[in-house]
Amino acid sequence: GAVVSQHPSWVICKSGTSVKIECRSLDFQATTMFWYRQFPKQSLMLMATSNEGSKATYEQGVEKDKFLINHASLTLSTLTVTSAHPEDSSFYICSARDTPTSGGPGNTQYFGPGTRLTVL
Amino acid sequence: AQSVTQPDIHITVSEGASLELRCNYSYGATPYLFWYVQSPGQGLQLLLKYFSGDTLVQGIKGFEAEFKRSQSSFNLRKPSVHWSDAAEYFCAVGYDYKLSFGAGTTVTVRA
């Protein structure tokens, strides 16, 4: 149980285009999902918290107009990198937090496999 | 503010030898503590977690961790490592339903 998928697993795009990354909880409902960014050989940096049916909460220093997050259902959150530039190239990882109604203690995050974004 | 320190950036261990990864945390309240493992180019897999109760926690793949409040530590151990244990290991503390990660420890397993 507690499987999280991401799509696509990797994407290459031209500078100035937008890219959408999907994060799905496959076997549990997740009212809260998280988006992280990871640079090579570094730890995960939390970008934003995505709550189903409401606006995302962004961490300090993260541009909300550049990284658009939508959490339209209990199993799907999307991250859209708008007008991507080479400095946006990174590994993006999502996670989904289980809730008491799904049998977990309500504070465990399960991670997707990540999406490698390369902006040319 | 919460923070996690993993003092060892890189550890090399022989296959079959024991492994211990250190983790120290700073958090004002009762911590929720986690260990995750990441293989190259992959997401994170949960190894084990501590919320309360028994301070020695058993996880998957033969890993265990011990919570020591007096030392603010949550060290990860495995009695006998396998070549497949080579990966990046992250300790994390949960707060406000978020996670704060340590910098990670890279484990290399030599034959």
Side-chain angles (χ1 to χ4, degrees), chain B residues 5 9 11 32 38 53-54 56 73 77 84 97 109:
Chain B
T5 301
I9 298 174
I11 287 180
Y32 290 171
Q38 184 181 34
D54 193 347
L56 185 62
S73 69
R77 299 192 292 257
S84 60
Y97 299 112
V109 181

Side-chain angles (χ1 to χ4, degrees), chain A residues 34 36 38 41-44 46 49 59 91 93 97-98 105-114 116, chain B residues 32 34 36 38 41-46 49 51 88 90 94-99 101-104 106:
Chain A
F34 302 87
Y36 295 84
Q38 185 179 33
K41 305 293 184 182
Q42 294 189 26
S43 188
L44 281 74
L46 178 64
T49 302
E59 296 298 302
F91 193 56
I93 306 177
R97 181 175 71 89
D98 68 356
N107 205 29
T108 298
Q109 292 184 30
Y110 297 93
F111 286 79
R116 173 76 57 193
Chain B
Y32 290 171
F34 305 82
Y36 287 89
Q38 184 181 34
Q42 300 296 316
L44 275 66
Q45 181 181 22
L46 178 66
K49 58 192 175 187
F51 287 175
E88 188 81 12
F90 292 98
Y95 69 101
D96 298 336
Y97 299 112
K98 301 179 184 180
L99 289 176
F101 285 90
T106 301

Side-chain angles (χ1 to χ4, degrees), chain B:
Chain B
Q2 68 291 328
S3 67
V4 178
T5 301
Q6 293 181 246
D8 305 303
I9 298 174
H10 191 182
I11 287 180
T12 298
V13 61
S14 297
E15 191 170 15
S18 64
L19 174 68
E20 181 168 15
L21 304 182
R22 296 182 292 165
C23 172
N24 293 97
Y25 68 90
S26 173
Y27 186 57
T30 300
Y32 290 171
L33 296 163
F34 305 82
W35 275 101
Y36 287 89
V37 61
Q38 184 181 34
S39 297
Q42 300 296 316
L44 275 66
Q45 181 181 22
L46 178 66
L47 285 177
L48 46 78
K49 58 192 175 187
Y50 171 79
F51 287 175
S52 65
D54 193 347
T55 57
L56 185 62
V57 181
Q58 301 298 319
I60 63 171
K61 303 185 179 186
F63 285 93
E64 65 178 25
E66 186 171 13
F67 170 60
K68 293 185 177 180
R69 184 184 299 275
S70 61
Q71 299 178 19
S72 297
S73 69
F74 189 55
N75 294 347
L76 181 72
R77 299 192 292 257
K78 184 168 184 176
S80 177
V81 299
H82 186 262
W83 64 266
S84 60
D85 294 322
E88 188 81 12
Y89 291 79
F90 292 98
C91 180
V93 62
Y95 69 101
D96 298 336
Y97 299 112
K98 301 179 184 180
L99 289 176
S100 179
F101 285 90
T105 298
T106 301
V107 173
T108 298
V109 181
R110 59 182 174 218

Side-chain angles (χ1 to χ4, degrees), chain A residues 71-92:
Chain A
H71 194 155
S73 77
L74 288 173
T75 60
L76 173 64
S77 176
T78 60
L79 168 69
T80 301
V81 182
T82 63
S83 186
H85 291 284
E87 57 265 30
D88 299 323
S89 298
S90 191
F91 193 56
Y92 293 88

